[in-house]
Amino acid sequence: MAINMAEQIFIAGGYGMIGGNLAAQLRSRFPQSRLILAGRSPQKGEALAEQLGNAQTACLDLLSGDIPPLAATSQLIISAVPDPKHVLGEFAIRHNIAFIDITVGTADGYAPLLNMAMQYQTTAPVVPLGYYEAGMFLPLVNRLSRQFSAINSVRLTALHDAEDPIGATTEQELTQELAPAFVREAGIWRYTSAQDKICLISGECVETTPFGILDVSAVAAMTGAENIRLDVAMGISEGQRNSAQASVELYVDMQGMNEAGKPDSKRIVASDPRGQAHFTALGIVTVVTAMFERPLSGFVLPENLLNPQAALITMQDAGVVLIQD
């Protein structure tokens, strides 16, 4: 099922830091769509709704389980706030409404929605988008992998700057004990908490912490690499160094055999000068665009939905700088 046009898009958390960015980018990309900005304090979103035009707020309390009527009349529901009961996802599946969630980062977390989508045989796409920056690592991996005949190692690193509002939150989270991350080492799937280091394009080397999220298994399927991990790091971003404006950066470091059959290593970096909230929202919009264009139905992984080349063009059009060694 392809969504040729979403007359109405319901955004849970639609006036928050990420949700507000998302609403603005959706308005720019889909000017005819009506946007519903939902949350527990809808009055906080009224100014944004007025600014966007053809938008309104709605009260949404996921803990109560009550879904506002405007969700049922929407063609797409996007969950940008934690929903531990999967209230929105289950509602969307029962009513055959397209659904995207960005808040769950594990396969176990999405299993209930997978089973429910199969049980209801939904024809509307259900996309588990709890990937880093809503899947923006994936087109970078695809681009770099095309330069190898065989890939042994893929290292993904998200660099956050403390001057970015969400970067400051990430820094606080890294001071706490995180759950062991799911990684692949020498072909074996395991969990680890072992920290590492990365040398940035500036030459600075910073400590990294492994982070368990769905990108790792997606990259394994895409590349066949036997060594894969995703780490999070804090450091001075290129945006901060060059223009005193904090950016967020995604590093992809890949090792393997090049097309000439010789050992090689390559790196690509995506730097968003507008920060993490903007980059995450951009990832969601890129997936929404793909949903509008491709006739896919049921539980759909973003790596099967995205057009990698189109996603890279979207990144660059939005001001994301791509740097490749």
Side-chain angles (χ1 to χ4, degrees):
M1 173 183 176
I3 308 174
N4 296 318
M5 180 180 67
E7 295 180 2
Q8 185 168 291
I9 301 175
F10 185 96
I11 309 170
Y15 49 83
M17 194 173 297
I18 292 175
N21 261 278
L22 172 60
Q25 292 188 47
L26 286 172
R27 169 56 66 241
S28 177
R29 186 67 63 89
F30 308 109
Q32 302 304 316
S33 296
R34 182 165 185 76
L35 303 178
I36 308 300
L37 314 181
R40 288 185 296 177
S41 305
Q43 67 277 8
K44 293 182 180 179
E46 290 175 358
L48 176 59
E50 183 176 355
Q51 176 186 340
L52 293 171
N54 194 23
Q56 70 180 87
T57 62
C59 185
L60 174 68
D61 184 354
L62 291 173
L63 294 179
S64 72
D66 294 331
I67 304 296
L70 284 168
T73 57
S74 299
Q75 289 72 49
L76 170 62
I77 296 174
I78 302 174
S79 180
V81 291
D83 183 6
K85 293 183 177 181
H86 282 312
V87 171
L88 280 173
E90 293 184 1
F91 178 87
I93 290 169
R94 285 197 302 270
H95 292 81
N96 206 35
I97 299 170
F99 179 70
I100 294 174
D101 174 272
I102 69 165
T103 67
V104 180
T106 67
D108 284 349
Y110 281 123
L113 292 184
L114 169 61
N115 288 105
M116 190 168 183
M118 295 179 69
Q119 179 69 29
Y120 278 76
Q121 298 182 339
T122 180
T123 58
V126 176
V127 183
L129 198 54
Y131 291 57
Y132 221 90
E133 308 299 18
M136 290 290 90
F137 266 122
L138 303 179
L140 301 174
V141 170
N142 178 272
R143 174 167 171 168
L144 213 56
S145 67
R146 293 176 179 272
Q147 302 171 42
F148 289 83
S149 61
I151 300 168
N152 176 60
S153 171
V154 182
R155 174 83 179 273
L156 311 176
T157 307
L159 180 75
H160 296 273
D161 193 312
E163 296 301 315
D164 181 300
I166 299 185
T169 302
T170 301
E171 184 176 34
Q172 183 178 9
E173 291 175 349
L174 290 178
T175 63
Q176 304 170 4
E177 185 176 355
L178 298 178
F182 197 48
V183 301
R184 195 179 196 189
E185 295 179 351
I188 297 173
W189 292 100
R190 59 185 295 267
Y191 290 90
T192 184
S193 297
Q195 294 182 308
D196 206 340
K197 288 186 177 181
I198 184 174
C199 289
L200 309 175
I201 52 180
S202 65
E204 177 190 10
C205 295
V206 297
E207 186 177 75
T208 69
T209 300
F211 190 78
I213 199 165
L214 293 166
D215 301 71
V216 173
S217 55
V219 170
M222 292 169 66
T223 67
E226 292 201 336
N227 298 279
I228 307 167
R229 62 183 278 165
L230 186 151
D231 287 77
V232 179
M234 298 300 303
I236 301 174
S237 65
E238 286 302 293
Q240 186 75 352
R241 292 180 189 278
N242 298 329
S243 62
Q245 181 176 349
S247 54
V248 63
E249 279 136 26
L250 302 183
Y251 279 72
V252 179
D253 290 288
M254 195 172 289
Q255 295 180 342
M257 305 295 288
N258 62 23
E259 294 179 352
K262 296 181 179 181
D264 202 356
S265 61
K266 295 184 181 295
R267 163 181 282 182
I268 188 170
V269 182
S271 176
D272 190 335
R274 298 172 69 177
Q276 186 178 2
H278 177 266
F279 208 1
T280 302
L282 180 63
I284 302 169
V285 170
T286 304
V287 167
V288 171
T289 302
M291 290 173 68
F292 284 15
E293 296 173 348
R294 300 191 63 186
L296 297 176
S297 62
F299 206 80
V300 183
L301 298 175
E303 57 265 35
N304 301 130
L305 179 64
L306 286 174
N307 178 320
Q309 286 71 39
L312 289 172
I313 292 171
T314 298
M315 279 192 210
Q316 293 173 299
D317 288 346
V320 176
V321 179
L322 300 183
I323 307 163
Q324 186 168 348
D325 289 350

